[in-house]
């Protein structure tokens, strides 16, 4: 409870400083809106349905892209985790692919798919796939050998051993992978939409910038941050904690 | 013989193509219902030998046979209890015990067998709990129940109480004795504790190191429960101790030589 009050106070202080900077007139009004202008932009944006429309479009891209990223990433990760040969040949390239910022893929996506939602989804897939694959590979590699030895003494082998022991044993890393895949896909989504022809939250942001509606720009930045942290805290962090506890990885 | 280890050798492949021998030409015959302890200092290959009986390690040379059938792979006729961390954290206590039974019997049957074995290790109260909620000693009891539930011909135990505190180990010794008297399973028990070996087993096989080999074989016919203060216990303990001291001295000297040579 006290922590909650402290956190609220912190926000009040930040907004206060923001207001002070605005009032001092260091930046021109057109480039630096006041907190109340941003609140108003947020209100009208939601009231006239523009933000809702953009959010729905963004979530559509995200859900399609992230689902495919998780599927492809998991398949790649299992392949690299199970086959030493595949990992020796292709494993190192996975890290280089992962280190490429998603926005770099946008020109390529636009040239291949054009200015449409498909190129946004393509960028989201690339954003999430490699980090998912890396985590799934780690997940497979870090299954405790004792689990596998114990299962073998109980007659488990082949597919049975994989699905009954290796898959559940690797769940903690898999869940971490999901969490990171979501985070990376969310960033990729914004990068892709920013350069797209809409609809989407990123597109709305660039549109507002083009018309010098800075209060809308900041409002959308706030929405992006809030969704990012809320989904992480309410969904992925919760799942991760639950799995870690059950698997005996935390006390 | 029930469990026959004949001229068995084991070596691991080294970095530069040279093989590191663990032991060679080892012979050991274990009869049914016997409780045999494999005792030795670390590095003598006792755990490796146990893994070979389980079928988890390949046999470099020689033959291991259970009731005349050569062992090539793990199977449910040999149950194994590991030192720690071998029960599955994503399954409840009861589901863990039911794990080896799936596919071999109906669900109700498996449930009954699991219940019976959980009762045997006094864990009936905890069957819906998950491993992370149990103490180390309780987890090992789950592992014992799980290995016994599939009714193996032989129970292999690899330092099963090595990671437990003294009191818990003492309690589990008593439980294991009761279980053994009830089931009369053949047990091969790997340990580096002389007292544990003498307290529990019918027969203590002492292994030496560099190279790994059997240096002595004691029949322990002292009636159970055995007291540490019993003269006969102390006598055997001292004899084994003097045998092992030579072995440990050998290891130490080698290590010291290595230090002075390089």
């Amino acid at each position: 409870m006290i922590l909650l009050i402290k956190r609220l106070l912190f926000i009040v202080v930040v907004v206060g400083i923001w207001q002070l900077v605005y009032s001092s007139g260091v930046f021109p009004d057109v480039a630096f809106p006041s907190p109340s202008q941003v609140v108003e932009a947020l209100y009208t944006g939601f009231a006239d349905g523009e933000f809702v429309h953009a959010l729905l479009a963004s979530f559509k891209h995200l859900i399609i892209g992230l689902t495919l990223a998780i599927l492809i990433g998991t398949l790649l990760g299992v392949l690299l985790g199970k086959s030493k040969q595949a990992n020796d040949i292709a494993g190192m390239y996975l890290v280089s692919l992962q280190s490429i910022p998603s926005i770099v893929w946008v020109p390529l996506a636009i040239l291949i798919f054009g200015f449409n939602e498909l190129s946004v989804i393509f960028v989201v897939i690339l954003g999430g796939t490699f980090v998912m694959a890396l985590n799934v590979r780690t997940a497979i590699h870090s299954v405790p050998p004792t689990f596998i030895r114990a299962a073998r003494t109980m007659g488990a082998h082949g597919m049975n051993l994989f699905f009954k022991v290796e898959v559940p044993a690797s769940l903690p890393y898999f869940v971490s992978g999901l969490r990171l895949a979501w985070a990376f896909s969310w960033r990729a989504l914004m990068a892709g939409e920013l350069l797209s022809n809409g609809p989407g939250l990123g597109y709305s942001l660039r549109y507002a910038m083009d018309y010098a509606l800075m209060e809308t720009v900041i409002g959308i930045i706030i929405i992006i941050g809030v969704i990012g942290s809320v989904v992480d805290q309410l969904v992925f962090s919760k799942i991760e904690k639950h799995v870690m506890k059950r698997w005996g990885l935390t006390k | 013989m029930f469990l026959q280890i004949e001229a068995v050798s084991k070596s691991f492949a080294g970095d530069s193509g040279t093989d590191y021998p663990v032991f060679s030409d080892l012979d050991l015959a274990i009869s049914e219902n016997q409780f045999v302890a494999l005792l030795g200092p670390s590095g003598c290959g006792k755990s490796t030998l146990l893994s070979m009986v389980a079928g988890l390690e390949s046999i470099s040379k020689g033959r291991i046979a259970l009731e005349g059938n050569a062992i090539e792979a793990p199977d449910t006729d040999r149950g194994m209890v590991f030192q720690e961390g071998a029960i599955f954290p994503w399954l409840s206590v009861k589901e863990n015990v039911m794990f080896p039974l799936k596919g071999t019997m109906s669900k109700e049957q498996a449930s009954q067998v699991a219940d019976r074995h959980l009762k045997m290790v006094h864990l009936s109260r905890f069957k819906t709990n998950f491993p992370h909620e149990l103490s180390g000693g309780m987890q090992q009891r789950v592992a014992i129940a799980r290995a016994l539930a599939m009714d193996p011909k032989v129970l292999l135990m690899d330092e099963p109480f090595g990671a437990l505190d003294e009191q818990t180990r003492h309690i589990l010794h008593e439980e294991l004795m009761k279980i053994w008297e009830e089931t009369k399973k053949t047990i091969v028990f790997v340990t580096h504790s002389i007292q544990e070996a003498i307290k529990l087993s019918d027969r203590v096989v002492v292994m030496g190191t560099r190279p790994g080999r059997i240096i002595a074989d004691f029949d322990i016919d002292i009636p159970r429960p055995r007291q540490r203060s019993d003269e006969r216990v102390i006598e055997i303990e001292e004899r084994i101790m003097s045998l092992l001291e030579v072995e440990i001295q050998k290891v130490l000297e080698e290590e010291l030589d290595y230090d002075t040579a390089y």
Side-chain angles (χ1 to χ4, degrees), chain B:
Chain B
M1 207 38 124
F2 185 67
L3 178 63
Q4 189 84 43
I5 295 167
E6 283 168 34
V8 162
S9 304
K10 179 70 185 176
S11 50
F12 287 110
D15 301 326
S16 49
T18 49
D19 284 354
Y20 289 104
V22 184
F23 47 71
S24 47
D25 288 325
L26 208 122
D27 291 294
L28 184 64
I30 291 167
S31 49
E32 201 169 359
N33 308 334
Q34 211 174 29
F35 192 129
V36 180
L38 281 182
L39 175 70
S42 51
C44 71
K46 57 192 191 298
S47 285
T48 307
L49 182 62
L50 198 75
S51 291
M52 288 161 83
V53 176
L56 292 170
E57 285 284 355
S58 64
I59 299 164
S60 304
K61 233 173 70 193
R63 180 174 185 266
I64 302 178
L66 181 62
E67 287 189 318
N69 302 314
I71 284 166
E72 274 151 11
D75 207 346
T76 51
D77 59 352
R78 283 149 284 141
M80 185 139 172
V81 177
F82 297 82
Q83 184 168 4
E84 61 180 335
I87 59 172
F88 303 137
W90 58 90
L91 298 176
S92 72
V93 165
K94 185 167 171 183
E95 286 163 346
N96 260 289
V97 179
M98 283 168 74
F99 183 90
L101 307 177
K102 282 190 180 139
T104 63
M105 56 179 78
S106 74
K107 218 171 168 190
E108 298 90 79
Q109 248 180 319
S111 169
Q112 279 173 18
V113 172
D115 281 339
R116 201 169 67 235
H117 286 88
L118 282 171
K119 201 173 167 195
M120 195 191 268
V121 295
H122 308 290
L123 281 177
S124 297
R125 213 151 55 82
F126 296 96
K127 57 188 169 196
T128 56
N129 286 65
F130 282 87
H132 75 271
E133 300 166 312
L134 307 183
S135 68
M138 285 155 94
Q139 293 188 8
Q140 285 310 80
R141 274 145 70 191
V142 177
I144 293 170
R146 183 175 72 175
L148 287 173
M150 59 188 191
D151 195 23
K153 289 177 184 148
V154 51
L155 182 62
L156 308 169
M157 305 185 88
D158 190 4
E159 303 196 33
F161 310 136
L164 303 176
D165 61 76
E166 191 67 41
Q167 280 96 331
T168 313
R169 192 180 309 146
H170 184 74
I171 294 166
L172 281 172
H173 283 160
E174 311 230 306
E175 278 198 20
L176 182 61
M177 277 296 102
K178 266 194 223 130
I179 290 168
W180 180 68
E181 261 148 37
E182 243 174 78
T183 60
K184 281 290 167 197
K185 283 276 174 230
T186 311
I187 296 180
V188 186
F189 188 104
V190 162
T191 178
H192 59 249
S193 158
I194 302 175
Q195 281 118 24
E196 189 174 52
I198 300 171
K199 182 176 172 189
L200 300 174
S201 36
D202 295 324
R203 181 177 165 200
V204 178
V205 175
V206 184
M207 289 180 73
T209 180
R210 312 201 179 198
R213 70 210 184 285
I214 292 169
I215 48 176
D217 196 337
F218 293 93
D219 283 319
I220 318 283
D221 47 11
I222 306 163
R224 295 177 172 94
R226 296 170 185 156
Q227 302 302 324
R228 264 198 79 177
S229 50
D230 191 312
E231 267 175 43
R232 291 164 295 183
V233 170
I234 293 170
E235 196 219 313
I236 297 175
E237 203 178 307
E238 273 168 1
R239 280 169 65 192
I240 296 176
M241 191 97 81
S242 59
L243 278 170
L244 286 183
E245 252 163 30
V246 179
E247 290 302 313
I248 291 162
Q249 197 57 43
K250 222 163 64 183
V251 176
L252 276 179
E253 265 165 28
E254 228 173 79
E255 278 168 8
L256 288 177
D257 275 355
Y258 187 87
D259 263 359
T260 41
Y262 297 92

Side-chain angles (χ1 to χ4, degrees), chain A residues 8-21 35:
Chain A
L8 285 173
L9 273 176
F10 178 73
I11 282 295
V12 169
V13 170
V14 170
V15 172
I17 294 171
W18 175 4
Q19 180 66 45
L20 278 177
V21 174

Side-chain angles (χ1 to χ4, degrees), chain A residues 147 149 152-153 168 245-247, chain B residues 51 74 85 89-90 130 132 150:
Chain A
F147 285 169
R149 285 163 63 87
R152 289 182 63 207
T153 64
K245 196 178 156 220
R246 170 70 65 81
W247 265 240
Chain B
S51 291
W90 58 90
F130 282 87
H132 75 271
M150 59 188 191

